Amino acid sequence: MNQQSELVFRFLAEPTDVNFGGKVHGGIVMKWIDQAGYACAAGWSGSYCVTVSVAGVRFKRPILVGQVVEVTAQIAHTGKTSMQIFIRVKCGDPQNNILSESNHCIISFIAMDKAGYPVPVPQFVAKTKEQKKLEQYAIKMKEIAIETESLLHRTVKE
């Protein structure tokens, strides 16, 4: 299998993407994040994948209509059936091709078989210094997501 640990989507922000304030709607950005994350997870695992959680979403700057948008998705960590993918969204003027970070996050996916059961994924081994840092970040965000879910269940039960 030809595993793909990183991919990049590039496109223009369109008028149909904006909110009432004239900036690209956060929900549209989340859709792009999910799509890029899915493509990366499916490319790595060779399986259909479902989104489990999104952690550490940080919006730093708005995206404007007509700007180039670049969504980079890269495997940061793998578990037995899960993948944590680091997403970075950048945007900028297409005339000068200078892009600035708009937002970033970690999105988690589970690989599934045709019956909807989790299946093992190939192990990702971080090699570069940057990959190792991202892996530690992804592991921490996964722990926080698990703690948050546990807190919700304890709170709702009480």
Side-chain angles (χ1 to χ4, degrees), residues 72-92:
T72 303
Q74 66 185 96
I75 299 288
H77 176 70
T78 55
K80 182 179 175 189
T81 62
S82 67
M83 294 155 282
Q84 285 67 48
I85 298 167
F86 179 70
I87 307 283
R88 177 175 281 135
V89 181
K90 293 182 177 181
C91 64

Side-chain angles (χ1 to χ4, degrees), residues 39-54:
C40 186
W44 180 259
S45 67
S47 299
Y48 176 73
C49 299
V50 295
T51 308
V52 175
S53 67
V54 182

Side-chain angles (χ1 to χ4, degrees), residues 17-104:
D17 297 331
V18 299
N19 60 22
F20 295 110
K23 312 291 190 288
V24 171
H25 193 285
I28 295 293
V29 177
M30 293 302 295
K31 175 184 171 187
W32 298 336
I33 286 168
D34 194 48
Q35 290 172 333
Y38 171 80
C40 186
W44 180 259
S45 67
S47 299
Y48 176 73
C49 299
V50 295
T51 308
V52 175
S53 67
V54 182
V57 179
R58 172 81 172 127
F59 290 90
K60 296 169 74 174
R61 60 176 291 128
I63 300 173
L64 307 176
V65 169
Q67 287 187 318
V68 169
V69 178
E70 180 179 275
V71 184
T72 303
Q74 66 185 96
I75 299 288
H77 176 70
T78 55
K80 182 179 175 189
T81 62
S82 67
M83 294 155 282
Q84 285 67 48
I85 298 167
F86 179 70
I87 307 283
R88 177 175 281 135
V89 181
K90 293 182 177 181
C91 64
D93 186 335
Q95 294 178 357
N96 64 21
N97 207 29
I98 297 172
L99 304 180
S100 300
E101 185 174 299
S102 168
N103 67 307
H104 61 260

